[in-house]
Amino acid sequence: MPFATVSARGAQRWASGHPWIFKSDVTDLPDAEPGAVTVLDHRRRPLGTALWSPQSEISLRLLDADADASIDGEWWHRRISEAIERR
């Protein structure tokens, strides 16, 4: 899976529970089309999996805290089912 590296400020934003990272905090852009990417902190440690949008100021939107998550149909079905159950 392609990866994006974020600044210490971007990593801190995620650690505090914020679900996205702005383009200004992405230090290593993914060499990929929009879609799921692994997110690394400034020390190259995995933070999770996010949706990458090169056109948006909100470049990374957290999907899963698991950097090895496979974002496929089963993943989406499980997450939507969990959200419905919470409501």
Side-chain angles (χ1 to χ4, degrees):
M1 183 179 298
F3 68 90
T5 305
V6 299
S7 66
R9 184 173 70 179
Q12 178 59 38
R13 187 170 281 127
W14 265 7
S16 68
H18 198 68
W20 59 66
I21 294 181
F22 297 100
K23 187 181 286 188
S24 60
D25 287 325
V26 180
T27 58
D28 234 349
L29 302 174
D31 185 23
E33 295 293 317
V37 297
T38 299
V39 179
L40 307 175
D41 71 8
H42 61 288
R43 294 183 181 137
R44 312 287 288 175
R45 293 181 297 195
L47 295 176
T49 304
L51 283 180
W52 159 243
S53 176
Q55 302 300 319
S56 176
E57 284 301 312
I58 300 172
S59 293
L60 296 167
R61 298 167 194 266
L62 180 64
L63 290 176
D64 201 305
D66 180 1
D68 295 321
S70 179
I71 309 302
D72 55 13
E74 183 178 320
W75 184 91
W76 285 105
H77 179 76
R78 185 178 70 253
R79 292 297 294 255
I80 291 169
S81 294
E82 291 168 358
I84 290 169
E85 287 176 22
R86 283 193 303 271
R87 284 157 179 80

